[in-house]
């Protein structure tokens, strides 16, 4: 580009110097030395001016466009920050920046679309796989019955029960999926109210007592567990969060090495928040899985979880509900020792009047 600028500048300089010298030679009284000097001065001045203008204002910008196009081809978007940071009065450079920004934006959109397409493909594969399992199981029992097993009354009842269980599992899966997609697209609103969190935790524990007992797990509350603890949240959704966490703690506790598994709920005041902790002494979660268990369909041990009937959606739902409460789920876990899942909720402000207690938030 430097050569092009120089060549154009030399051509312009020669033309301007030639024309100037030609005019001067027509004027009476101008010596040939004067004509030569004016030829040289006009040529040098024109050369310098045109070279600087072409090189710094035009060719350099065109060079820049080439560089950016090259980077775009290589999917290197680092130039975006550089371009937007520069504030210039040069109109050509401003136009360039606009073009760069636009091209970069489009490139990012393309990347995002590709990422979404991959995500959709993966999600579809996971959903079909999860749906297939209970459908195949129910189908198997029903066809066996149709093939003659229905004649034996004991077999009939057992197989029908198994088919019904598979379809119940399918129902839970579809409900969970529906809820997750509604939470993600923000179609589910949180209906905030003040409620007694201590009472809610006791109710969930009462409800799950039977399931825990059948697996030899003790559900317990500390001796100083409060009677009243008012928080500001969507009661139904928080009940679901506590239920999912407790159900996991029970489910993944049953092969606790010490036997005598337990699940404990604790509450702690942290400023204007209440922290709820669900602890267990179960198998624990290896560190490398800890930040992935909140992804949908993610299970630590696929085959083992399959026996317990989990689909890997519970924690994804928990995470979304808490995010909608502008809170988050935290986890600490040690393999063979147990896990602690915890989250925080807004405490009730005492000054607030009872009439304001229930309102639609957001
Ligand atoms: N308390 C826990 N102790 C040990 N592992 C856990 C615990 N909670 C969750 N996990 C691990 O995290 C994974 C994801 O949990 P999540 O609740 O999302 O799915 P799930 O329990 O397998 O299925 P679902 O809840 O949809 O029925 C589980 O499969 C399990 O491997
Ligand atoms: Mg679960």
């Amino acid at each position: 580009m430097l050569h092009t600028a120089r060549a154009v500048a030399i051509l312009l300089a020669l033309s301007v110097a030639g024309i100037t010298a030609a005019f001067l030679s027509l004027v009476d009284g101008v010596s040939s030395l004067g004509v030569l000097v004016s030829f040289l001065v006009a040529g040098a001045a024109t050369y310098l001016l045109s070279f600087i203008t072409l090189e710094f204002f035009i060719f350099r910008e065109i060079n820049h466009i080439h560089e950016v196009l090259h980077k775009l081809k290589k999917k290197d978007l680092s130039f975006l920050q550089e371009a937007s940071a520069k504030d210039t009065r040069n109109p050509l450079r401003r136009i360039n920046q606009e073009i760069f920004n636009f091209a970069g934006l489009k490139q990012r959109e393309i990347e995002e679309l590709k990422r979404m397409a991959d995500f959709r493909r993966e999600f579809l594969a996971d959903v079909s796989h999860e749906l297939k399992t209970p459908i195949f199981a129910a189908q198997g029992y029903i066809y066996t019955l149709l093939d003659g097993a229905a004649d034996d009354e004991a077999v009939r009842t057992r197989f029908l029960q198994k088919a019904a269980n598979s379809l119940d599992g399918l129902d839970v899966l579809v409900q969970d999926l529906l809820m997750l997609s509604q939470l993600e697209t923000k179609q589910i609103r949180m209906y905030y109210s003040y409620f007694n969190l201590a009472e809610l935790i006791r109710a969930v524990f009462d409800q799950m007592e039977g399931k825990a007992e059948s697996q030899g797990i003790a559900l317990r509350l500390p001796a100083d567990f409060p009677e009243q603890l008012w928080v500001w949240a969507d009661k139904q959704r928080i009940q679901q969060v506590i239920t999912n966490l407790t159900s996991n703690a029970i489910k993944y506790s049953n092969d606790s090495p010490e036997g005598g598994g337990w699940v404990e709920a604790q509450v702690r005041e942290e400023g204007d928040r209440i922290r709820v902790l669900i602890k267990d002494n179960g198998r624990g979660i290896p560190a490398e899985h800890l930040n992935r268990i909140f992804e949908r369909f993610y299970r630590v041990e696929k085959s083992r979880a399959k026996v317990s009937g989990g689909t890997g959606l519970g924690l994804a739902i928990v995470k979304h509900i808490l995010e909608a409460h502008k809170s988050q789920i935290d986890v600490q876990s040690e393999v063979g020792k147990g896990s602690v899942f915890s989250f925080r909720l807004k405490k009730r402000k005492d000054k607030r009047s009872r009439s304001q207690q229930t309102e639609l938030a957001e």
Side-chain angles (χ1 to χ4, degrees):
M1 215 46 88
L2 197 73
H3 295 308
T4 324
R6 196 164 286 159
V8 174
I10 288 172
L11 272 176
L12 269 173
L14 283 175
S15 322
V16 171
I19 293 167
T20 315
F23 270 111
L24 276 177
S25 62
L26 295 176
V27 177
D28 287 340
V30 180
S31 67
S32 36
L33 184 69
V35 173
L36 183 68
V37 168
S38 58
F39 177 85
L40 290 175
V41 170
T46 313
Y47 173 76
L48 274 176
L49 271 174
S50 38
F51 179 72
I52 291 170
T53 315
L54 287 171
E55 175 55 21
F56 290 96
F57 293 104
I58 299 175
F59 287 131
R60 184 174 280 194
E61 292 309 319
I62 293 173
N63 245 347
H64 201 186
I65 296 178
H66 274 155
E67 273 171 33
V68 168
L69 287 177
H70 186 65
K71 281 186 178 175
L72 265 179
K73 261 194 223 156
K74 290 198 317 193
K75 300 203 168 88
D76 170 10
L77 300 183
S78 57
F79 67 87
L80 269 185
Q81 279 87 10
E82 295 164 27
S84 55
K86 280 181 198 160
D87 186 22
T88 175
R89 284 174 185 277
N90 179 346
L92 198 59
R93 188 173 293 180
R94 273 211 307 272
I95 291 171
N96 283 352
Q97 282 180 4
E98 290 295 324
I99 296 170
F100 303 156
N101 286 345
F102 185 70
L105 201 73
K106 289 291 147 205
Q107 189 66 29
R108 279 194 182 151
E109 274 176 18
I110 292 169
E111 299 288 313
E112 180 64 12
L113 285 174
K114 276 189 190 156
R115 210 180 54 78
M116 295 291 285
D118 285 347
F119 179 74
R120 260 198 300 274
R121 250 194 307 276
E122 209 175 289
F123 178 65
L124 212 62
D126 281 337
V127 171
S128 348
H129 178 78
E130 294 300 334
L131 290 176
K132 219 166 56 187
T133 318
I135 292 175
F136 274 12
Q139 228 175 8
Y141 292 123
I142 291 166
Y143 278 120
T144 317
L145 286 172
L146 286 176
D147 286 348
D151 299 338
D152 181 333
E153 200 175 324
V155 173
R156 188 171 60 208
T157 314
R158 211 177 71 233
F159 275 29
L160 280 176
Q161 189 57 54
K162 286 191 174 185
N165 289 347
S166 291
L167 294 176
D168 284 348
L170 189 65
D171 185 38
V172 171
L173 172 63
V174 172
Q175 300 276 0
D176 280 357
L177 272 174
L178 207 65
M179 166 156 216
L180 204 54
S181 91
Q182 283 173 338
L183 278 167
E184 277 177 1
T185 51
K186 309 225 176 330
Q187 282 175 42
I188 293 189
R189 284 178 166 217
M190 295 293 133
Y191 290 91
Y192 284 76
S193 67
Y194 284 112
F195 64 87
N196 185 351
L197 178 68
E199 192 181 78
L200 184 74
I201 295 175
R202 282 179 202 277
V204 171
F205 268 36
D206 282 348
Q207 226 173 54
M208 308 199 83
E209 189 96 62
K211 188 183 168 200
E213 238 168 51
S214 68
Q215 297 185 28
I217 313 281
L219 289 189
R220 60 191 206 198
L221 296 172
D224 61 350
F225 195 79
E227 284 298 324
Q228 300 230 353
L229 200 58
W230 292 83
V231 291
W232 174 243
D234 182 324
K235 185 176 175 184
Q236 208 190 332
R237 304 285 165 220
I238 295 302
Q239 175 167 6
Q240 192 168 8
V241 166
I242 299 169
T243 308
N244 282 4
L245 294 180
T246 313
S247 143
N248 278 353
I250 296 171
K251 204 159 40 168
Y252 304 109
S253 250
N254 53 11
D255 60 355
S256 164
E258 309 126 62
W262 53 257
V263 176
E264 183 169 296
Q266 293 178 3
V267 284
R268 250 183 236 159
E269 295 209 12
E270 291 181 2
D272 63 343
R273 312 269 150 153
I274 301 282
R275 183 173 288 280
V276 182
L277 302 99
I278 306 288
K279 297 185 172 187
D280 67 69
N281 67 338
R283 65 178 74 148
I285 304 161
E288 66 269 25
H289 295 283
L290 275 182
N291 53 1
R292 297 211 57 196
I293 51 174
F294 301 102
E295 292 171 16
R296 42 184 163 186
F297 296 118
Y298 194 84
R299 292 180 290 239
V300 174
E301 290 167 70
K302 312 230 169 212
S303 54
R304 195 137 38 141
K306 211 64 246 152
V307 176
S308 327
T311 50
L313 292 177
L315 287 179
I317 292 176
V318 164
K319 180 174 166 248
H320 273 96
I321 292 178
L322 291 172
E323 273 173 5
H325 280 80
K326 302 202 171 36
S327 180
Q328 65 177 51
I329 177 87
D330 295 312
V331 57
Q332 285 176 343
S333 189
E334 210 179 315
V335 175
K337 292 231 163 123
S339 315
V340 183
F341 284 84
S342 73
F343 59 93
R344 302 199 307 172
L345 291 178
K346 245 194 192 147
K347 209 159 72 174
R348 168 183 170 168
K349 286 197 192 78
D350 290 330
K351 280 180 216 122
R352 210 179 172 94
S353 74
R354 301 284 291 193
S355 61
Q356 285 175 288
Q357 277 192 8
T358 305
E359 64 186 62
L360 185 66
E362 288 172 309

